[in-house]
Amino acid sequence: MKPVVFCPGSLRAGLEPRFGARRFATFLQAGGNPGHLDDPEPREIAARLGLPPPTARMLARRLRRWDLEQVVDEARSRRAEIITWGDPRYPSSLTELADPPPCLFWRGEPWARDELGVAVVGARKASPYGLRMARTLAGDLARAGVTVVSGLARGVDAAAHEAVLAAGGRTIAVLGCGLARPYPPEHATLLESVLDRGAACSEFALDAPPRAHQFPQRNRILAALSAAVVVVEAGARSGALSTAHHALDLGREVLAVPGAVDREQSVGTMLLLRDGATPVAGVQDVLGALGYCDPKPLSLPETEQKVLETIPPAGATAEEVDAALGIGADVAAGYLVTLEVRGLVEREIGGRYVVR
């Protein structure tokens, strides 16, 4: 058990929007002691941040206004931990950020500091292809023993979390709002399921409502907690692209799933691929980019294994798989595409699939 080092000043800096991560980073770089922010002196704030005295006095008042005892009690009642800057439990990867969060609100299993995960992110309005690829990649990563990090958003994020849970793996959700007010609200149940098998964190106060500017802000944390970022689908203005750019700034691997060139959801991934992102067709591409030369063997879900075993040496169509298993031709076609993405079967002219 690592000792808890709680810094009230760091918590005040994280709670106060007018101070926040950027000013906290500037304060540290100027030699400031985070502990001094618990009872802040306007003169020190003015000197460290290069602010005029009236602005420094305003910030000092705003920092003092937070009732930390109430914040800590509320966190305890909601089974959340508050991890402040300088605590040994603070994820070391976050210290690589130019503007690390002064504090984190954390629920679930502690972060294993020596094991970075893989972020699987993408469009909220994902296509059926994007959702299928997100589920396939996230589920395979989980079966390979990799923690999957995502943002609990609609579309690709939710599909990734759900696939990891179905595979019995570990997943971490990074929220752009308070842990007590998950967004979108219909994902409250998904968040509880994530907490059963992993963790969730946010730099925002427990009851902080979702605000538009907070989601791009949280993307830097998502990137920092990951050894690689996989963008499944992304429009030209997708938040997933900001996660990828943060990852590049941190020296992380950035990968993208190729998509149909005539789909709006493929514009962002095409831009990433053009700029040098590693293309992803299956989990082996992700594991290879991370240098995992001997990953854990993947175990297929039961139905996928049955479909694979049904294919004779001469190959089979979706209709023939359906005739053997009685699962419906459309369902069989979906499983065959998934097996193709995994690199286990190959589609021939005429729609027949053969085992590789």
Side-chain angles (χ1 to χ4, degrees):
M1 180 72 68
K2 293 176 179 175
V4 175
V5 179
F6 178 73
C7 177
S10 296
L11 178 55
R12 289 188 188 278
L15 290 170
E16 176 47 55
R18 299 285 184 91
F19 204 91
R22 289 188 179 180
R23 279 180 164 159
F24 184 72
T26 301
F27 186 81
L28 294 180
Q29 290 161 8
N33 183 335
H36 293 175
L37 295 175
D38 186 36
D39 187 16
E41 287 290 337
R43 287 183 182 179
E44 182 177 13
I45 291 177
R48 305 291 185 190
L49 301 183
L51 296 173
T55 304
R57 287 194 294 271
M58 177 273 292
L59 281 176
R61 286 195 302 271
R62 293 187 69 90
L63 287 168
R64 292 193 190 100
R65 73 189 177 107
W66 293 93
D67 184 342
L68 297 194
E69 184 176 349
Q70 180 180 349
V71 172
V72 171
D73 288 346
E74 178 71 9
R76 188 178 296 115
S77 70
R78 295 181 183 272
R79 296 177 291 123
E81 295 182 81
I82 301 174
I83 303 175
T84 58
W85 175 269
D87 189 317
R89 299 170 303 163
Y90 188 96
S92 59
S93 58
L94 295 186
T95 65
E96 300 175 45
L97 291 167
D99 54 348
C103 64
L104 282 177
F105 292 84
W106 191 279
R107 284 190 63 195
E109 290 296 317
W111 178 254
R113 290 172 57 181
D114 57 343
E115 294 182 8
L116 293 177
V118 170
V120 177
V121 295
R124 286 173 170 80
K125 296 181 180 179
S127 69
Y129 164 77
L131 295 175
R132 185 170 69 246
M133 286 300 298
R135 294 187 185 106
T136 298
L137 289 169
D140 284 350
L141 285 167
R143 282 183 280 274
V146 177
T147 297
V148 174
V149 186
S150 199
L152 204 78
R154 297 183 178 100
V156 165
D157 289 19
H161 288 305
E162 290 165 353
V164 174
L165 296 173
R170 173 175 167 83
T171 184
I172 293 180
V174 183
L175 276 61
C177 51
L179 293 178
R181 296 184 65 175
Y183 183 84
E186 65 267 22
H187 284 179
T189 301
L190 175 58
L191 175 60
E192 292 303 315
S193 298
V194 166
L195 292 169
D196 287 340
R197 299 301 301 266
C201 68
S202 173
E203 67 181 308
F204 304 107
L206 285 170
D207 288 312
R211 294 190 172 97
H213 72 275
Q214 295 173 177
F215 292 91
Q217 188 175 333
R218 70 87 190 270
N219 289 342
R220 77 194 196 289
I221 297 177
L222 209 160
L225 290 178
S226 306
V229 170
V230 180
V231 180
V232 177
E233 277 189 330
R237 298 170 60 84
S238 172
L241 297 184
S242 78
T243 305
H245 294 149
H246 284 300
L248 289 171
D249 290 342
L250 292 164
R252 308 289 198 252
E253 293 287 338
V254 174
L255 306 94
V257 176
V261 296
D262 60 346
R263 289 182 180 272
E264 192 276 333
Q265 297 100 320
S266 299
V267 174
T269 49
M270 288 175 62
L271 291 173
L272 290 174
L273 291 167
R274 184 197 65 187
D275 291 341
T278 301
V280 175
V283 70
Q284 297 299 337
D285 294 322
V286 183
L287 299 176
L290 293 174
Y292 297 164
C293 298
D294 186 26
K296 291 169 57 177
L298 300 180
S299 58
L300 293 176
E302 182 179 358
T303 305
E304 287 182 30
Q305 185 65 42
K306 288 181 179 178
V307 170
L308 187 63
E309 294 171 353
T310 298
I311 302 173
T317 64
E319 290 75 14
E320 290 168 345
V321 171
D322 171 41
L325 298 178
I327 58 176
D330 289 343
V331 174
Y335 280 116
L336 288 168
V337 170
T338 299
L339 290 170
E340 183 182 16
V341 170
R342 294 186 195 281
L344 298 175
V345 302
E346 186 174 356
R347 188 176 188 273
E348 295 185 331
I349 296 175
R352 298 188 72 80
Y353 288 83
V354 295
V355 179
R356 284 185 169 178

